[in-house]
Amino acid sequence: MNVKNKLSDCLRPLLLGAVFLASAAQAQFQSIDRVVAIVDNDVIMYSQLDQRLREVEQTIGKRGGQLPPQDVLQQQVLERLIVENLQLQIGDRSGIRITDEELNQAMASIAQRNRLTLEQFRAALARDGLSYDDAREQIRREMVISRVRQRRVGERIQVTDQEVQNFLASDLGQMQLSEEFRLANILIPVPEAASPDEIRAAAQKTSQVYDSLRGGADFAQTAMSSSASENALEGGEIGWRKAAQLPPAFAELIRTLSVGDITEPVRTPSGFMIVKLLEKRGGDTLVRDEVHVRHILIKPNEVRSEEETRRLVERLYERIVAGEDFATLAKSFSEDPGSALNGGDLNWIDPNSLVPEFREMMAKTPSGQLSQPFKSPYGWHVLEVLGRRATDSSEQYREQQAMNVLRNRKYDEELQAWLRQIRDEAYVEIKL
């Protein structure tokens, strides 16, 4: 936290000494900044509020939106700064630190997502009236807040097995977790109240198109030249559709197709249609790699710094290498409530369900071997890979998907409840 924001700074004079004018004996005072809110052990300065107000006004202006009254906008922005400040204080007390390397990677990633080099990113920020250092500091704050939320909100969320099974059995669950197909179509139209001759002519043309496609003709080119569908000029592509969104006749046909195949012509109210399966995702069959792993997690906290946490994990690593039992140490020291009582055992787990730092360390650790101590957003770890396997885990995968959907749904609710709680419990004095 910037030194100027510390509560102790309130003790510094907020007014300059008197400056006597050459022609008068009256003193004039000049304000350099002032406190607009005391938030627990910290303060928010007017300069911070003013800067954020200008950023918000600029954002709303770019969207073409109408600004609310100034006093309303100022109150909303100040409230947001207060809640952010409380989360940053929690991060500071919890020992959450963002290293320069992590911050550099984050800035490079943002530039890359915008297809800019770092120099171009700096120039773009300058055009928007922002300095690179200010943007970097804002990203650091957001990263700290994100990690605070991962810890404090994540541990409040509980999803039961019964909730998962109820979701899987619901219409909504089946809809969200069903297969998806990326499709393209060709429509040969049949007029309303068509005569038998018109129907035969359309059927004959459809047969010619179908034979041509079976013979290797390009589907997109054929759609552009022959289809009457509104998406003909896009090569007939209609995008991603779930099976439940398709007419029953097509849903059954498409499930039997391999990617790249086409259906036989199907008569619809609009005419004869041929559909091509471009891609498929989701569904009930999944073979995936799993890793059997156990770990010990140690978290920085109010009484143990980041460096002390790292040294503790290193000592535990040395004790395991020297022959002490991993499970016994995990039960005694690990701060992962989900695995500590099981000796740190996470059982067989999908690497994709883990944070990148854990997943990458696990990937480069051979079976039966111990990793070096490493850091993730949750704290410091040491892990041991017990085995690897490929398994048909379709049902488990569907359950994990359902778990993720329910956790994400609960996360938003828990986040708002937690933010209200820390705001209600804080000492806040507004000095506007």
Side-chain angles (χ1 to χ4, degrees):
M1 189 80 53
N2 194 294
V3 175
K4 75 175 183 180
N5 295 338
K6 290 299 181 185
L7 187 59
S8 59
D9 285 7
C10 297
L11 301 177
R12 295 186 304 175
L14 296 180
L15 298 174
L16 292 175
V19 178
F20 291 96
L21 298 176
S23 59
Q26 183 178 6
Q28 179 183 20
F29 293 89
Q30 179 183 4
S31 173
I32 57 174
D33 207 348
R34 61 188 177 89
V35 173
V36 293
I38 299 173
V39 184
D40 276 350
N41 297 321
D42 203 351
V43 296
I44 296 172
M45 307 299 292
Y46 179 80
S47 57
Q48 294 174 279
L49 175 61
D50 184 61
Q51 179 180 349
R52 185 65 66 87
L53 270 170
R54 284 187 278 109
E55 291 171 1
V56 170
E57 289 169 350
Q58 186 179 41
T59 300
I60 295 174
K62 284 184 176 180
R63 292 202 306 259
Q66 183 175 358
L67 289 171
Q70 186 66 19
D71 59 333
V72 174
L73 181 62
Q74 185 180 68
Q75 185 59 42
Q76 289 178 337
V77 171
L78 180 58
E79 187 61 31
R80 179 176 296 183
L81 285 172
I82 289 169
V83 175
E84 286 181 7
N85 189 287
L86 289 169
Q87 294 171 88
L88 290 169
Q89 289 188 56
I90 292 171
D92 189 52
R93 292 195 299 269
S94 301
I96 295 175
R97 302 288 184 269
I98 306 301
T99 66
D100 285 342
E101 181 181 0
E102 290 173 312
L103 198 48
N104 290 338
Q105 289 176 350
M107 297 300 287
S109 177
I110 293 170
Q112 187 176 23
R113 287 200 300 270
N114 287 277
R115 298 180 180 178
L116 300 172
T117 66
L118 272 178
E119 288 305 314
Q120 291 170 332
F121 185 41
R122 287 175 182 266
L125 289 170
R127 285 194 297 272
D128 287 339
L130 298 171
S131 76
Y132 183 79
D133 288 342
D134 286 345
R136 184 181 167 90
E137 173 61 16
Q138 183 59 31
I139 295 301
R140 185 195 68 79
R141 291 162 62 95
E142 290 175 5
M143 290 175 72
V144 170
I145 289 172
S146 175
R147 292 187 183 179
V148 168
R149 290 178 176 182
Q150 283 179 4
R151 293 186 185 182
R152 297 301 178 96
V153 180
E155 61 192 20
R156 293 163 62 108
I157 299 173
Q158 299 295 327
V159 178
T160 67
D161 291 341
Q162 188 61 52
E163 287 177 297
V164 170
Q165 295 306 318
N166 289 344
F167 180 77
L168 289 172
S170 70
D171 291 340
L172 177 60
Q174 293 178 24
M175 178 68 172
Q176 288 195 1
L177 303 182
S178 64
E179 285 180 294
E180 285 186 293
F181 308 96
R182 188 164 73 90
L183 305 172
N185 74 334
I186 292 173
L187 173 66
I188 307 301
V190 174
E192 290 186 24
S195 68
D197 287 342
E198 289 175 318
I199 295 174
R200 279 194 297 271
Q204 184 178 5
K205 181 179 179 180
T206 302
S207 180
Q208 292 171 350
V209 169
Y210 179 70
D211 290 342
S212 174
L213 293 170
R214 296 279 292 177
D218 183 75
F219 192 95
Q221 291 295 326
T222 304
M224 285 188 275
S225 61
S226 302
S227 179
S229 179
E230 64 179 9
N231 56 339
L233 294 179
E234 286 75 45
E237 184 164 344
I238 58 177
W240 288 97
R241 295 289 187 274
K242 291 183 180 291
Q245 296 173 300
L246 301 172
F250 278 107
E252 293 304 318
L253 277 174
I254 287 168
R255 282 196 175 101
T256 67
L257 299 181
S258 299
V259 172
D261 287 351
I262 60 173
T263 66
E264 294 183 353
V266 176
R267 178 66 194 271
T268 72
S270 301
F272 293 95
M273 188 174 293
I274 302 169
V275 175
K276 180 175 183 177
L277 177 58
L278 302 174
E279 283 186 80
K280 181 166 62 175
R281 66 188 180 193
D284 296 330
T285 302
L286 178 73
V287 176
R288 63 177 180 179
D289 294 326
E290 290 185 326
V291 181
H292 189 186
V293 65
R294 58 185 179 180
H295 79 132
I296 296 172
L297 168 65
I298 307 295
K299 302 177 183 180
N301 54 39
E302 288 84 351
V303 297
R304 184 172 57 220
S305 70
E306 185 84 27
E307 180 60 23
E308 289 170 332
T309 303
R310 182 185 65 79
R311 287 200 298 267
L312 174 54
V313 171
E314 288 179 345
R315 288 196 297 272
L316 292 172
Y317 169 79
E318 291 167 359
R319 290 171 65 176
I320 296 168
V321 170
E324 290 195 48
D325 183 62
F326 189 110
T328 301
L329 291 175
K331 290 177 183 178
S332 300
F333 289 95
S334 183
E335 295 173 330
D336 177 8
S339 68
L341 293 179
N342 297 323
D345 197 342
L346 295 173
N347 212 324
W348 291 98
I349 193 165
D350 178 5
N352 293 319
S353 68
L354 303 169
V355 295
E357 296 85 351
F358 198 103
R359 182 172 65 243
E360 291 164 8
M361 179 59 73
M362 189 172 67
K364 63 186 181 184
T365 303
S367 293
Q369 297 294 316
L370 196 66
S371 77
Q372 292 286 332
F374 65 98
K375 184 183 177 185
S376 84
Y378 296 101
W380 282 85
H381 309 253
V382 60
L383 66 80
E384 182 181 10
V385 174
L386 302 175
R388 288 185 166 86
R389 70 182 183 187
T391 182
D392 181 355
S393 53
S394 304
E395 186 59 32
Q396 295 94 322
Y397 179 65
R398 292 182 74 248
E399 290 177 354
Q400 185 62 53
Q401 283 184 302
M403 178 75 75
N404 292 341
V405 169
L406 293 171
R407 283 186 64 85
N408 288 339
R409 184 186 298 171
K410 288 190 174 187
Y411 179 87
D412 293 334
E413 297 170 0
E414 288 293 339
L415 174 61
Q416 296 309 315
W418 178 71
L419 291 176
R420 285 195 301 272
Q421 178 185 332
I422 63 172
R423 176 65 173 87
D424 292 343
E425 293 175 353
Y427 172 78
V428 176
E429 182 181 345
I430 307 296
K431 302 179 76 68
L432 273 176

